[in-house]
Amino acid sequence: MRRPSPIVMLATLASLAASSVPAAGERLVASLSNHRVMVTSNFVGDELVLFGGIEQDSASRPRRGAYDIVVTVSGPRQSVVTFRKARVLGIWVNADSREFENAPAYLAVLSNRPLDAITNAEVLRRLQLGLDNIPLPQRASVNIADSASDDPFRVAFIKIKTDHGLYRESSNGVTFLAPALFRASIPLPAEVPVGTYEVDVRLFADGAQIARTPAPFEVYKSGFEQVVTNAARDHGLLYGLATSAMAIITGWFASVVFRRD
């Protein structure tokens, strides 16, 4: 059997490598107005601005429609317990509960038009876009599983977060300044938790995702607030004793000042 020459083998490998690399097309570029948000004692919220552009090259093919942008901002993960109250003997008590595992403390889904107008429901579910499609695994007894979009505990959890401004979905949260330039406003309420936030920017065209880029930022505490937070986290017992002592001293001092003889 005749063995192929080295030149033929190299040419074959080169052609295979070229065919395995996807053709370049649109490229997404995004940046935030501020990558670090400082929380102080007088913090009342903030708003970050995301700027982005769509770069095209010779491999970009003509599109039937305009571009669409979907921005998903998710905050640090945490476990949260949601209770359902029931009336027992005339008293409202916690009758049942669910624990949501690793749920985003902050979640914002921003787009330039409604998600169902950008792509179909199957793509939205597969890409986990929108509040209805974000996985929120909950613990029931010993089992952990994602809940249906109409699950009462999930609906109540999202409503509570929405009322506090921590969850939102806006179909006009992204504005195109030009056919290839866009901006989005990311509102941060006063209750925003500290931690690292992930910003996932996706570019759609003709109902398909064609590009994606991250743009993370950080929310952190500074000054005396950070000292108190570190003390409560790292030295819980001493922090509890110190706050109890301060409360006792404050109460005693108030009783002395306002005492009526």
Side-chain angles (χ1 to χ4, degrees):
M1 181 177 179
R2 184 177 179 183
R3 299 177 61 184
S5 64
I7 297 178
V8 174
M9 293 179 65
L10 289 175
T12 303
L13 291 174
S15 63
L16 289 175
S19 63
S20 63
V21 176
E26 290 88 342
R27 191 168 74 93
L28 196 57
V29 180
S31 181
L32 288 165
S33 58
N34 188 6
H35 292 275
R36 301 194 73 200
V37 177
M38 184 174 64
V39 176
T40 58
S41 58
N42 58 350
F43 181 77
V44 294
D46 201 352
E47 184 175 271
L48 300 183
V49 180
L50 174 75
F51 293 98
I54 304 167
E55 296 183 352
Q56 299 176 329
D57 57 21
S58 58
S60 302
R61 60 185 181 86
R63 305 292 179 181
R64 294 192 302 269
Y67 292 115
D68 291 302
I69 295 292
V70 179
V71 180
T72 302
V73 185
S74 58
R77 300 280 174 166
Q78 58 182 201
S79 295
V80 181
V81 179
T82 300
F83 294 95
R84 178 168 60 188
K85 292 184 177 294
R87 196 177 184 88
V88 179
L89 300 176
I91 302 175
W92 289 98
V93 297
N94 295 327
D96 197 2
S97 66
R98 291 290 188 276
E99 181 180 359
F100 290 89
E101 297 278 345
N102 294 322
Y106 177 92
L107 182 61
V109 183
L110 313 172
S111 57
N112 60 300
R113 56 181 181 147
L115 295 178
D116 55 3
I118 294 177
T119 186
N120 58 60
E122 176 60 32
V123 174
L124 293 177
R125 283 193 297 269
R126 179 168 52 84
L127 299 180
Q128 301 176 353
L129 296 178
L131 295 184
D132 291 338
N133 299 306
I134 292 293
L136 292 174
Q138 58 177 261
R139 180 186 296 274
S141 183
V142 296
N143 299 320
I144 300 177
D146 192 14
S147 55
S149 59
D150 58 350
D151 176 76
F153 284 96
R154 178 190 175 102
V155 173
F157 174 77
I158 293 179
K159 183 180 184 305
I160 293 173
K161 287 287 191 179
T162 302
D163 292 342
H164 287 78
L166 296 173
Y167 275 27
R168 66 178 61 240
E169 182 174 322
S170 176
S171 59
N172 59 356
V174 178
T175 303
F176 274 92
L177 307 176
L181 295 175
F182 62 89
R183 72 184 296 274
S185 296
I186 304 174
L188 301 176
E191 300 179 34
V192 64
V194 298
T196 301
Y197 286 68
E198 300 175 358
V199 182
D200 186 17
V201 187
R202 299 174 186 260
L203 173 65
F204 286 82
D206 302 332
Q209 177 181 306
I210 58 175
R212 179 181 181 185
T213 188
F217 66 93
E218 180 188 7
V219 177
Y220 69 100
K221 289 184 178 180
S222 179
F224 180 71
E225 291 79 9
Q226 184 61 38
V227 173
V228 174
T229 301
N230 293 337
R233 182 185 64 245
D234 301 334
H235 309 285
L237 179 59
L238 294 178
Y239 176 79
L241 294 175
T243 52
S244 299
M246 289 180 62
I248 294 173
I249 294 173
T250 302
W252 172 81
F253 181 76
S255 67
V256 171
V257 172
F258 299 101
R259 183 175 55 188
R260 294 181 178 179
D261 296 330

